[in-house]
Amino acid sequence: MYKQTLNQLTVYDYIAPIEELLSPENRWVKLAQQVDWLSIEEEYASHFSHGGKQAFGVRVAFGSLVVKKALHLSDQQTTLLIGESPYLQYFLGMNEFRPKAPFSARTMASFRRRIPDNIIAEAVRELNRCETAAK
């Protein structure tokens, strides 16, 4: 008797913790380990009151702006690329891969109002150092 074995799982049938899938040598993984998330979060949190709608975490906000600036993307391109890349999702602090960014392109304008460009630029410089060191 022959048993059919073509029942392949889709990528959505198994969602592993994102760290299991990623190379520790990737530039986004390295940058995520080097960023001082606590100091950036303290600055970011100061822009919010205690009431109202819950804001996106600092890794999502800051991380998406770093991706945008480093790769010279539009807001729309940034959200599309984040939805396609487990490395970028890891950098944004996501625990598992999802096929869509957790925010819309319009949300990025509010991220820019709360996070100074000089902090983003420093992270992009560090990303470039990670790229150079990998060569």
Side-chain angles (χ1 to χ4, degrees):
M1 177 175 180
Y2 176 77
K3 184 175 180 182
Q4 186 179 16
T5 59
L6 297 177
N7 296 332
Q8 178 151 351
L9 296 174
T10 70
V11 318
Y12 305 108
D13 291 330
Y14 173 72
I15 299 178
I18 205 164
E19 300 89 30
E20 289 180 18
L21 308 171
L22 305 179
S23 166
E25 298 305 312
N26 180 273
R27 62 188 175 154
W28 296 104
V29 173
K30 287 180 177 181
L31 182 59
Q33 295 165 354
Q34 294 175 3
V35 169
D36 182 1
W37 295 108
L38 184 58
S39 67
I40 296 170
E41 183 168 27
E42 288 172 356
E43 168 67 25
Y44 180 68
S46 70
H47 294 277
F48 298 95
S49 64
H50 291 286
K53 184 179 174 186
Q54 184 172 354
F56 285 97
V58 69
R59 281 190 72 161
V60 170
F62 175 77
S64 64
L65 295 175
V66 172
V67 169
K68 175 185 170 50
K69 187 170 186 81
L71 302 178
H72 309 286
L73 303 171
S74 69
D75 291 349
Q76 183 69 26
Q77 291 168 322
T78 302
T79 58
L80 289 172
L81 192 58
I82 288 168
E84 297 171 350
S85 174
Y87 286 100
L88 296 180
Q89 290 187 19
Y90 174 81
F91 181 64
L92 269 61
M94 298 171 70
N95 295 325
E96 58 188 27
F97 178 76
R98 296 290 179 203
K100 187 177 177 194
F103 56 90
S104 71
R106 291 185 314 189
T107 305
M108 293 188 66
S110 67
F111 296 164
R112 280 191 290 279
R113 285 192 300 271
R114 295 181 173 109
I115 299 175
D117 194 50
N118 65 320
I119 297 172
I120 296 162
E122 177 55 37
V124 171
R125 284 191 291 278
E126 186 60 38
L127 179 67
N128 291 334
R129 284 191 282 272
C130 290
E131 289 175 1
T132 303
K135 292 180 182 178

